[in-house]
Amino acid sequence: MRKLRNSELNRLTVEEYQESEKSPMVVVLDNIRSCHNIGSVFRTSDALLVRKIYLCGITATPPNNEIRKTALDAERSVAWEYHEHTEDVVKNLKEDGFTVYAIEQVENSIMLPDFRPGENEKIALVFGNEVKGVKQSVVNLCNGSIEIPQYGTKHSFNISVSAGIVLWDIFQKMQE
């Protein structure tokens, strides 16, 4: 068994990525503190053809060396916008026909294995602060909440891990 070289992976160029058809998913980052987490979300979003990332509140924006260190230039391929208030982004996305889900532990959340995206449904996924999660005022505006089942002593996954799990799972379900 031989590892493939990057040149053998047939990946898109940044320009080809920007012109390619994207998934009907967008990501909203609600007050993410760590630039490494932000960069990781960019990289995962690139891999899964996420349409756009909305960076909100205290979430840092490119250009930023700490984001780039983890994103490995995915901040150049994935479209993004900055907004001061996450609530405004959620309202606008809903007006644009997106179903908005907080990735959060709330009453009556949908467990990720049970979640099924609707056919041709445009989905916005809101990921929250590393300590406080998605703000309650944002949760109140969402159409629902998706929760990742956990079985140990900790209350949550790291934001970058949560994004990887949720985005990959929903992307796969949309391919079915």
Side-chain angles (χ1 to χ4, degrees):
M1 185 167 27
R2 174 184 67 81
K3 284 178 56 174
L4 296 175
R5 293 189 236 32
N6 285 347
S7 62
E8 296 176 280
L9 296 176
N10 298 316
R11 297 292 189 244
L12 301 174
T13 66
V14 170
E15 294 76 22
E16 290 169 334
Y17 179 92
Q18 291 170 341
E19 296 299 320
S20 68
E21 184 176 341
K22 307 296 183 299
S23 76
M25 289 189 294
V26 299
V27 169
V28 179
L29 298 183
D30 179 29
N31 290 295
I32 304 303
R33 296 178 310 164
S34 165
C35 288
H36 295 287
N37 284 335
I38 298 163
S40 180
V41 172
F42 266 100
R43 194 162 156 191
T44 299
S45 295
D46 174 283
L48 298 173
L49 297 171
V50 166
R51 186 179 299 180
K52 185 178 272 188
I53 299 175
Y54 294 89
L55 308 168
C56 303
I58 66 167
T59 307
T61 62
N64 179 298
N65 286 337
E66 293 300 309
I67 291 173
R68 187 171 41 82
K69 189 183 297 183
T70 311
L72 298 179
D73 281 340
E75 75 282 10
R76 292 179 49 231
S77 55
V78 180
W80 62 271
E81 289 181 18
Y82 173 79
H83 295 269
E84 185 175 352
H85 301 289
T86 310
E87 294 86 350
D88 294 339
V89 171
V90 170
K91 289 175 190 173
N92 290 337
L93 287 167
K94 289 173 75 174
E95 288 173 7
D96 288 342
F98 281 85
T99 307
V100 183
Y101 295 96
I103 308 305
E104 189 57 85
Q105 299 161 333
V106 302
E107 297 170 335
N108 301 313
S109 60
I110 304 165
M111 290 297 168
L112 181 59
D114 299 327
F115 177 78
R116 295 287 175 260
E119 190 172 336
N120 300 317
E121 181 179 22
K122 297 189 319 185
I123 296 176
L125 302 167
V126 183
F127 295 90
N129 179 274
E130 292 88 344
V131 175
K132 298 177 181 178
V134 179
K135 286 186 298 191
Q136 185 64 53
S137 60
V138 174
V139 169
N140 293 343
L141 294 170
C142 291
N143 298 98
S145 177
I146 299 171
E147 183 176 338
I148 306 168
Q150 298 169 61
Y151 306 99
T153 62
K154 296 298 155 199
H155 299 276
S156 65
F157 288 103
N158 179 285
I159 170 66
S160 62
V161 173
S162 294
I165 291 168
V166 172
L167 290 169
W168 186 89
D169 182 81
I170 293 174
F171 182 85
Q172 290 303 308
K173 289 172 181 173
M174 287 178 160
Q175 305 307 304
E176 296 173 355

Coordinates of all heavy atoms in Angstrom, one line a residue, residues 101-141:
Y101 N -30.7 25.4 11.8 CA -30.6 24.5 13.0 C -29.4 24.9 13.8 O -28.3 25.1 13.3 CB -30.3 23.0 12.5 CG -31.5 22.4 11.7 CD1 -31.5 22.4 10.3 CD2 -32.6 21.8 12.4 CE1 -32.5 21.9 9.6 CE2 -33.6 21.2 11.7 CZ -33.6 21.3 10.3 OH -34.6 20.7 9.6
A102 N -29.7 25.0 15.1 CA -28.6 25.2 16.1 C -28.0 23.8 16.3 O -28.7 22.9 16.5 CB -29.1 25.8 17.4
I103 N -26.7 23.7 16.4 CA -26.0 22.5 16.8 C -25.8 22.7 18.3 O -24.9 23.3 18.8 CB -24.7 22.3 16.0 CG1 -25.0 22.4 14.5 CG2 -24.1 20.9 16.4 CD1 -26.0 21.4 14.0
E104 N -26.8 22.1 19.1 CA -26.8 22.5 20.5 C -27.7 21.4 21.2 O -28.5 20.8 20.6 CB -27.5 23.9 20.6 CG -27.4 24.5 22.0 CD -26.0 24.6 22.6 OE1 -25.3 25.6 22.3 OE2 -25.6 23.6 23.3
Q105 N -27.4 21.4 22.5 CA -28.2 20.5 23.4 C -29.4 21.3 24.0 O -29.2 22.2 24.8 CB -27.3 20.0 24.5 CG -26.2 19.2 24.0 CD -25.0 19.0 24.9 OE1 -24.8 19.8 25.8 NE2 -24.3 17.9 24.8
V106 N -30.6 21.1 23.5 CA -31.8 21.8 23.9 C -32.9 20.8 24.1 O -32.8 19.7 23.6 CB -32.2 22.9 22.9 CG1 -31.0 23.9 22.7 CG2 -32.6 22.4 21.6
E107 N -34.0 21.3 24.7 CA -35.2 20.5 24.8 C -35.7 20.1 23.4 O -35.7 21.0 22.5 CB -36.3 21.2 25.5 CG -35.9 21.6 27.0 CD -36.9 22.6 27.6 OE1 -37.5 23.3 26.9 OE2 -37.0 22.5 28.8
N108 N -36.0 18.9 23.2 CA -36.6 18.4 21.9 C -35.7 18.5 20.8 O -36.1 18.6 19.6 CB -37.9 19.2 21.6 CG -38.9 19.0 22.7 OD1 -39.2 17.9 23.2 ND2 -39.5 20.1 23.2
S109 N -34.4 18.5 21.0 CA -33.4 18.5 19.9 C -33.6 17.2 19.1 O -34.0 16.2 19.6 CB -32.0 18.7 20.4 OG -31.6 17.7 21.2
I110 N -33.2 17.2 17.8 CA -33.1 16.0 17.0 C -31.7 15.4 17.1 O -30.7 16.1 16.9 CB -33.4 16.4 15.5 CG1 -34.7 17.1 15.4 CG2 -33.4 15.1 14.6 CD1 -34.9 17.8 14.0
M111 N -31.7 14.1 17.5 CA -30.4 13.5 17.5 C -29.9 13.3 16.1 O -30.6 13.0 15.2 CB -30.5 12.1 18.2 CG -30.7 12.2 19.7 SD -29.3 13.1 20.5 CE -30.0 13.4 22.1
L112 N -28.6 13.6 15.9 CA -28.0 13.6 14.6 C -28.3 12.3 13.8 O -28.7 12.4 12.6 CB -26.5 13.9 14.6 CG -25.8 13.9 13.3 CD1 -26.3 15.0 12.4 CD2 -24.3 14.1 13.5
P113 N -28.2 11.1 14.4 CA -28.5 9.9 13.6 C -30.0 9.9 13.1 O -30.3 9.3 12.1 CB -28.3 8.8 14.6 CG -27.3 9.3 15.6 CD -27.7 10.8 15.7
D114 N -30.9 10.6 13.8 CA -32.3 10.6 13.4 C -32.6 11.7 12.4 O -33.7 11.8 11.9 CB -33.2 10.8 14.7 CG -33.0 9.6 15.6 OD1 -32.7 8.5 15.2 OD2 -33.0 9.9 16.9
F115 N -31.7 12.7 12.2 CA -32.0 13.8 11.4 C -31.9 13.4 9.9 O -31.0 12.7 9.5 CB -30.9 14.9 11.6 CG -31.1 16.1 10.7 CD1 -32.1 17.0 10.9 CD2 -30.3 16.3 9.6 CE1 -32.3 18.1 10.1 CE2 -30.5 17.3 8.7 CZ -31.5 18.3 9.0
R116 N -32.9 13.8 9.2 CA -33.0 13.6 7.7 C -33.3 14.9 7.0 O -34.4 15.5 7.2 CB -34.1 12.6 7.3 CG -33.8 11.2 7.9 CD -32.7 10.5 7.1 NE -32.4 9.2 7.6 CZ -31.3 8.9 8.4 NH1 -30.5 9.9 8.8 NH2 -31.1 7.7 8.9
P117 N -32.4 15.4 6.2 CA -32.7 16.6 5.5 C -33.8 16.4 4.4 O -33.8 15.3 3.9 CB -31.3 17.0 4.8 CG -30.6 15.7 4.7 CD -31.1 14.9 5.9
G118 N -34.6 17.4 4.2 CA -35.6 17.3 3.2 C -35.0 17.4 1.8 O -33.9 17.9 1.7
E119 N -35.7 16.8 0.9 CA -35.2 16.9 -0.5 C -35.1 18.4 -1.0 O -36.0 19.1 -0.8 CB -36.1 16.1 -1.4 CG -35.5 15.9 -2.8 CD -36.4 15.0 -3.7 OE1 -37.1 14.2 -3.1 OE2 -36.3 15.1 -4.9
N120 N -33.9 18.7 -1.5 CA -33.7 20.1 -1.9 C -33.8 21.2 -0.8 O -33.9 22.3 -1.1 CB -34.6 20.5 -3.1 CG -34.4 19.6 -4.3 OD1 -33.2 19.2 -4.6 ND2 -35.5 19.1 -4.9
E121 N -33.7 20.7 0.4 CA -33.8 21.7 1.6 C -32.5 22.4 1.7 O -31.4 21.9 1.6 CB -34.0 20.9 2.9 CG -34.1 21.8 4.1 CD -34.4 21.0 5.4 OE1 -34.2 19.7 5.4 OE2 -34.9 21.6 6.3
K122 N -32.6 23.7 1.8 CA -31.4 24.6 2.1 C -31.2 24.6 3.6 O -32.2 25.0 4.3 CB -31.6 26.0 1.5 CG -31.7 26.0 0.0 CD -31.7 27.3 -0.7 CE -32.4 28.4 0.0 NZ -32.4 29.7 -0.7
I123 N -30.1 24.3 4.1 CA -29.8 24.1 5.5 C -28.7 25.1 6.0 O -27.7 25.1 5.4 CB -29.5 22.7 5.9 CG1 -30.6 21.7 5.6 CG2 -29.0 22.5 7.3 CD1 -30.3 20.3 5.8
A124 N -29.0 25.8 7.1 CA -28.0 26.6 7.8 C -27.7 25.9 9.1 O -28.7 25.6 9.9 CB -28.5 28.0 7.9
L125 N -26.5 25.7 9.4 CA -26.1 25.1 10.7 C -25.3 26.1 11.5 O -24.3 26.6 11.1 CB -25.2 23.9 10.4 CG -25.9 22.8 9.5 CD1 -24.9 21.8 9.0 CD2 -27.0 22.1 10.3
V126 N -25.8 26.4 12.7 CA -25.2 27.3 13.6 C -24.4 26.6 14.7 O -24.9 25.8 15.5 CB -26.3 28.2 14.3 CG1 -25.6 29.3 15.2 CG2 -27.2 28.8 13.3
F127 N -23.1 26.9 14.7 CA -22.2 26.4 15.7 C -21.8 27.5 16.7 O -21.5 28.6 16.3 CB -20.9 25.8 15.1 CG -21.2 24.6 14.2 CD1 -21.5 24.8 12.8 CD2 -21.2 23.3 14.7 CE1 -21.8 23.8 12.0 CE2 -21.5 22.3 13.8 CZ -21.8 22.5 12.5
G128 N -21.8 27.2 18.0 CA -21.6 28.2 19.0 C -20.3 28.2 19.7 O -19.4 27.4 19.4
N129 N -20.1 29.2 20.5 CA -18.9 29.5 21.3 C -18.4 28.2 22.0 O -19.2 27.4 22.5 CB -19.3 30.6 22.3 CG -18.2 31.0 23.2 OD1 -18.0 30.3 24.2 ND2 -17.4 32.0 22.8
E130 N -17.1 28.1 22.1 CA -16.5 26.9 22.7 C -16.9 26.7 24.2 O -16.9 25.5 24.6 CB -15.0 27.1 22.7 CG -14.4 27.0 21.3 CD -14.3 28.4 20.6 OE1 -15.0 29.4 21.0 OE2 -13.5 28.5 19.7
V131 N -17.3 27.7 24.9 CA -17.7 27.5 26.3 C -19.2 27.6 26.5 O -19.8 26.8 27.2 CB -17.0 28.6 27.2 CG1 -17.5 28.5 28.6 CG2 -15.5 28.4 27.2
K132 N -19.8 28.7 25.9 CA -21.2 29.0 26.1 C -22.2 28.3 25.1 O -23.4 28.4 25.3 CB -21.4 30.5 26.2 CG -20.7 31.1 27.3 CD -20.8 32.6 27.3 CE -20.0 33.2 28.4 NZ -20.0 34.7 28.4
G133 N -21.6 27.8 24.0 CA -22.5 27.3 23.0 C -23.2 28.3 22.1 O -22.8 29.5 22.1
V134 N -24.3 28.0 21.5 CA -25.1 28.9 20.7 C -25.9 29.8 21.7 O -26.5 29.2 22.6 CB -26.0 28.2 19.7 CG1 -26.8 29.2 18.9 CG2 -25.2 27.3 18.8
K135 N -25.8 31.1 21.5 CA -26.6 32.0 22.4 C -28.1 31.6 22.4 O -28.6 31.3 21.3 CB -26.4 33.4 21.9 CG -25.1 34.1 22.2 CD -25.1 35.5 21.8 CE -25.4 35.7 20.3 NZ -25.2 37.1 19.9
Q136 N -28.7 31.8 23.5 CA -30.1 31.5 23.6 C -31.0 32.3 22.7 O -31.9 31.8 22.1 CB -30.6 31.7 25.1 CG -32.1 31.3 25.3 CD -32.3 29.8 25.0 OE1 -31.6 28.9 25.6 NE2 -33.3 29.4 24.2
S137 N -30.6 33.6 22.5 CA -31.3 34.5 21.6 C -31.2 33.9 20.2 O -32.2 34.1 19.4 CB -30.8 35.9 21.7 OG -29.4 36.0 21.3
V138 N -30.2 33.3 19.8 CA -30.0 32.7 18.5 C -30.8 31.4 18.4 O -31.6 31.1 17.4 CB -28.5 32.4 18.1 CG1 -28.4 31.7 16.8 CG2 -27.8 33.8 18.1
V139 N -30.7 30.5 19.4 CA -31.5 29.3 19.5 C -33.0 29.6 19.3 O -33.7 28.9 18.6 CB -31.2 28.5 20.8 CG1 -32.2 27.4 21.0 CG2 -29.8 28.0 20.9
N140 N -33.4 30.7 20.0 CA -34.9 31.0 19.9 C -35.3 31.3 18.4 O -36.5 31.1 18.1 CB -35.2 32.3 20.7 CG -35.0 32.0 22.2 OD1 -35.0 30.9 22.7 ND2 -34.9 33.1 23.0
L141 N -34.4 31.7 17.6 CA -34.7 32.1 16.2 C -34.7 30.9 15.3 O -35.2 30.9 14.1 CB -33.8 33.2 15.7 CG -34.0 34.5 16.4 CD1 -32.8 35.5 15.9 CD2 -35.3 35.2 16.0

